Amino acid sequence: MKSRLAFVDWTRGLAAVIMLQGHVFHAFTRPDLRSELPYVLSQFAGGMPPAIFLFLTGVTLAFLMDSRGRQGDGPARRLMAALRRAAYLLALAFAFRLQMWAFAWPHSPWTDLLRVDILNCMGFTLAVLAPMAAWDTRRRMVAAAAAGVAIAGASPLVSQLPWSGIPVTLKAYVTPDPLQFSFFPWAAFAAFGLSAGSALRLAKASGLPVWIPRMAVAGFGLILLGRLLAYLPYSPYPQSSFWLDSPLLIFIKLGVILVILAGAYHWTEHRGPRWSWVQQLGTTSLLVYWVHTELVYGRWFYFWKASLNAAYAALAALAVILLMLALSTARMRWKELPQPRVRLLPSAGLKASALRSGVALET
């Protein structure tokens, strides 16, 4: 199997495009136009990117665990590799919050540093799922799927627990919150991604043409079943909010993700190795996320905040997408440039291998 699956990058890039337009509309559309169709459709579609990003984070974690196992690493070493990735994402999350707070100072409260964003959720979730590295890929596939179902199913119950005496930050990491990315229910997508990524590793490249259609059928099945059950007049939960903690919404979004992945596979196979702007955004999605958030929600274009109509907001979204595409392309070309060699003096007592001891991660 290729080190990078084109359809995975393409799916991540599609999520980035949807995210970019959703954030631009959210930041710049006039308040009196936010009940009209363009804004409503923009924000409705904008609910999918976080789920896609978390799912694909689980997929890449599965690839890491499987590749470590194929290299001969034991359970302890696989676990440490997974925990290092979780720690890396958490470090990025805190660095991101610090940068956003510093650039907005003195108009940003210090509590913004504790906000649980999607990177926080990714890091925390990967740390919780890391012990699954101890199992082989097939057992991991089953266990991760079961974990996803358990997290989704428990989310309405977690919402109803008495959280009054719990520290606010801990509560934000755990309990469903419409303004933050908590473990329940968002971690379910990463768990399902870990299961799907394990299945991809078991299928290998030669088995993908058989596995992908089954994934699409499963996706359509989840969407239809979820919508059907959502119309039933009763629920096994004493209280549940469909748009906040409903397991049915999780399964519907999971179905959409599987359908998108299947479509992305056939699209990238049809196009072949040709350059794709959507796939390009997917290869640098973390950079795109970081930079565009500062541009859209920071001070840079304060004079347009909440002041544009739908047409101008769409033009602004197009401009941001093109700008992020240029940034992504520049980043990849810079990485392809030959890196200068560092000559070490023998007296320094350093080994060249120490320079290669870092852990690379493409989120």
Side-chain angles (χ1 to χ4, degrees):
M1 184 175 291
K2 298 177 182 179
S3 60
R4 295 196 73 96
L5 295 177
F7 73 98
V8 173
D9 281 335
W10 197 95
T11 302
R12 188 183 288 112
L14 177 63
V17 173
I18 299 172
M19 172 189 66
L20 291 172
Q21 66 80 30
H23 286 176
V24 170
F25 267 84
H26 181 262
F28 296 115
T29 303
R30 289 191 344 235
D32 60 301
L33 300 178
R34 300 197 174 201
S35 60
E36 296 187 0
L37 186 61
Y39 182 83
V40 172
L41 290 178
S42 167
Q43 300 309 294
F44 180 77
M48 280 304 302
I52 296 175
F53 288 136
L54 281 161
F55 182 90
L56 295 181
T57 298
V59 169
T60 57
L61 180 65
F63 291 173
L64 171 68
M65 292 178 176
D66 180 80
S67 62
R68 289 283 183 164
R70 293 175 187 270
Q71 294 170 14
D73 287 354
R77 292 179 66 88
R78 296 198 300 268
L79 172 61
M80 290 306 301
L83 289 175
R84 281 196 298 270
R85 177 160 295 188
Y88 176 80
L89 285 172
L90 282 173
L92 284 179
F94 292 126
F96 173 74
R97 295 311 322 166
L98 179 61
Q99 178 266 308
M100 292 291 292
W101 173 82
F103 276 42
W105 190 84
H107 303 291
S108 55
W110 70 268
T111 52
D112 283 356
L113 295 171
L114 303 179
R115 182 179 176 184
V116 181
D117 215 325
I118 188 169
L119 289 174
N120 302 75
C121 183
M122 285 180 179
F124 181 61
T125 300
L126 262 58
V128 174
L129 297 177
M132 292 188 184
W135 296 329
D136 60 57
T137 302
R138 189 172 300 277
R139 290 183 62 191
R140 189 181 306 123
M141 176 184 68
V142 177
V149 172
I151 294 168
S155 293
L157 301 177
V158 173
S159 291
Q160 302 308 311
L161 292 176
W163 292 96
S164 57
I166 304 298
V168 175
T169 302
L170 177 60
K171 178 183 176 182
Y173 270 94
V174 177
T175 187
D177 187 318
L179 300 178
Q180 304 193 74
F181 291 92
S182 54
F183 184 86
F184 294 95
W186 289 103
F189 294 111
F192 289 130
L194 179 58
S195 178
S198 300
L200 282 172
R201 284 303 196 190
L202 290 172
K204 300 184 180 180
S206 59
L208 288 180
V210 176
W211 191 85
I212 293 295
R214 296 175 182 175
M215 182 173 64
V217 171
F220 281 117
L222 285 171
I223 295 171
L224 295 176
L225 182 61
R227 292 303 304 162
L228 176 64
L229 294 177
Y231 286 120
L232 294 180
Y234 58 86
S235 171
Y237 300 99
Q239 186 175 348
S240 177
S241 173
F242 181 79
W243 296 106
L244 177 63
D245 56 22
S246 172
L248 295 179
L249 180 61
I250 300 299
F251 295 135
I252 291 171
K253 286 186 176 182
L254 174 62
V256 173
I257 293 172
L258 295 179
V259 171
I260 291 175
L261 273 172
Y265 172 80
H266 290 292
W267 175 252
T268 52
E269 287 293 304
H270 171 73
R271 285 182 57 86
R274 288 182 294 171
W275 183 82
S276 166
W277 68 274
V278 177
Q279 186 177 336
Q280 174 64 55
L281 286 172
T283 59
T284 58
S285 57
L286 177 59
L287 176 65
V288 168
Y289 170 77
W290 194 311
V291 174
H292 100 276
T293 302
E294 173 60 36
L295 287 178
V296 172
Y297 290 110
R299 299 176 175 178
W300 302 89
F301 301 103
Y302 67 92
F303 42 84
W304 284 339
K305 296 291 180 66
S307 64
L308 301 182
N309 60 27
Y312 281 112
L315 288 175
L318 177 60
V320 170
I321 291 171
L322 292 176
L323 181 60
M324 292 301 100
L325 179 60
L327 175 65
S328 175
T329 304
R331 165 61 175 161
M332 294 303 294
R333 289 183 177 178
W334 181 82
K335 288 178 65 176
E336 293 171 358
L337 293 176
Q339 299 299 315
R341 294 183 178 182
V342 179
R343 298 187 63 182
L344 300 177
L345 296 175
S347 59
L350 299 176
K351 295 182 179 180
S353 60
L355 300 177
R356 299 189 296 269
S357 61
V359 178
L361 172 65
E362 277 293 345
T363 301

